[in-house]
Amino acid sequence: MNIRLFSYFIKLIIKSRMEYRGAFMIGAVGQILGYAANYLVIWLLLQNFDTINGWNWTEIAFLYSLNILTYAIGASFTYSPMVGLDQTIINGDFDKYLTKPLSPFTYYLASLFNIGYIAHIVISVFVLLWSISQVDMGWTAVKIIYLFLAVISGSFLQAAALVVIGSLSFTFLRVQYLFSILFKIKEFIAYPISIYGTLLQLILTWIIPLAMINYYPSLYLFDESILTNKLLGIVALVIGPLAFYLSYKLWMRGANKYQGAGG
């Protein structure tokens, strides 16, 4: 499936959702209020402690917003397809994605694109821009380009995590509990991972590299003069696309072995 056809699918989905604008707006407002409450909790926490391991409110707001923004972009394409894949396989509905002269992966993602994440994008971009205006990062053209690339890489990494779990549906069928575990683990990157022990930092950096989504890009932007920040910041730009490619290969491997609802 080429980009033009992929975009056409998404356009059709957006049109169908806009047929029920009232329900869509209510859902969007609800999500915005929900994440606003999360920001409020962090803000209240910082009122008592001023900083968390040297990170103040605006810096943590930037960190948290980068996480939400990249999740919203990545999940728009992958959350609904991957969370629903096990049931799609069990019901035998996955067969239709294999009978078209299209890539089953992109066809499946395009057909279940979720426009509802626009609410996440709105609030995260708003707070991200506010925090950028409050934090003295010494913005340069390089840093602006870096932030743009970090958002892209982080979105790929967020999507990759969902695709990896979704791909396990071809083998184990029931994998819903793994998504719950993923979201619990993701709560760790709502704050600087430097507040955790060395072992957990290593896990979040190299084994389940969720810290590459927002923590290391933030360190690079706040102070790239430190060599470690610079090196890990660069790694963060590469690991997202690489992780997504590997997750795609894993998903396709499962799809190629798929033999129907009974096997």
Side-chain angles (χ1 to χ4, degrees):
M1 180 183 293
N2 57 37
I3 295 177
R4 183 178 179 182
L5 184 56
F6 190 86
S7 301
Y8 178 71
F9 268 88
I10 293 175
K11 183 179 179 180
L12 290 179
I13 291 172
I14 292 175
K15 281 187 175 180
S16 66
R17 288 296 300 272
M18 289 300 102
E19 290 294 323
Y20 304 94
R21 291 183 177 85
F24 174 77
M25 291 303 298
I26 291 174
V29 171
Q31 290 181 4
I32 289 175
L33 291 176
Y35 275 102
N38 291 341
Y39 279 110
L40 179 61
V41 168
I42 298 174
W43 179 78
L44 290 173
L45 181 65
L46 267 296
Q47 298 309 298
N48 292 325
F49 297 99
D50 293 328
T51 64
I52 297 180
N53 200 232
W55 292 61
N56 60 33
W57 156 238
T58 53
E59 291 169 336
I60 293 181
F62 179 89
L63 183 81
Y64 189 61
S65 297
L66 193 56
N67 179 27
I68 295 178
L69 176 59
T70 54
Y71 171 72
I73 296 173
S76 294
F77 296 94
T78 58
Y79 177 79
S80 294
M82 296 307 145
V83 170
L85 181 57
D86 55 357
Q87 197 60 48
T88 299
I89 293 173
I90 292 170
N91 294 340
D93 294 332
F94 185 71
D95 298 65
K96 68 181 181 182
Y97 297 103
L98 302 174
T99 57
K100 302 291 191 299
L102 304 167
S103 164
F105 182 74
T106 51
Y107 178 34
Y108 184 56
L109 295 192
S111 63
L112 293 173
F113 174 79
N114 190 347
I115 190 180
Y117 282 99
I118 189 66
H120 298 63
I121 294 175
V122 169
I123 188 168
S124 60
V125 168
F126 176 80
V127 179
L128 190 69
L129 292 176
W130 172 82
S131 61
I132 286 174
S133 70
Q134 299 298 312
V135 178
D136 183 15
M137 296 188 189
W139 284 101
T140 62
V142 172
K143 283 193 173 183
I144 293 173
I145 294 172
Y146 178 87
L147 177 58
F148 177 74
L149 294 177
V151 170
I152 294 175
S153 181
S155 301
F156 271 123
L157 191 50
Q158 297 268 20
L162 296 172
V163 173
V164 166
I165 296 177
S167 66
L168 298 178
S169 299
F170 293 111
T171 303
F172 303 107
L173 292 183
R174 300 292 187 180
V175 296
Q176 293 295 317
Y177 66 97
L178 292 178
F179 289 104
S180 299
I181 293 174
L182 172 64
F183 292 127
K184 289 295 183 182
I185 295 175
K186 271 172 52 64
E187 291 179 4
F188 285 107
I189 64 171
Y191 301 95
I193 67 166
S194 56
I195 67 175
Y196 308 122
T198 302
L199 178 59
L200 186 53
Q201 289 186 47
L202 289 173
I203 292 173
L204 292 173
T205 300
W206 301 114
I207 300 176
I208 308 175
L210 297 177
M212 295 292 179
I213 292 171
N214 60 345
Y215 179 68
Y216 292 112
S218 296
L219 285 182
Y220 178 93
L221 291 168
F222 294 154
D223 188 1
E224 84 280 16
S225 64
I226 299 176
L227 181 59
T228 304
N229 293 356
K230 193 168 187 176
L231 291 176
L232 289 174
I234 293 173
V235 170
L237 298 185
V238 177
I239 200 168
L242 176 61
F244 185 76
Y245 173 75
L246 293 176
S247 69
Y248 159 74
K249 297 297 287 186
L250 181 64
W251 195 93
M252 286 301 299
R253 182 181 180 183
N256 289 333
K257 290 184 177 180
Y258 172 78
Q259 298 179 354

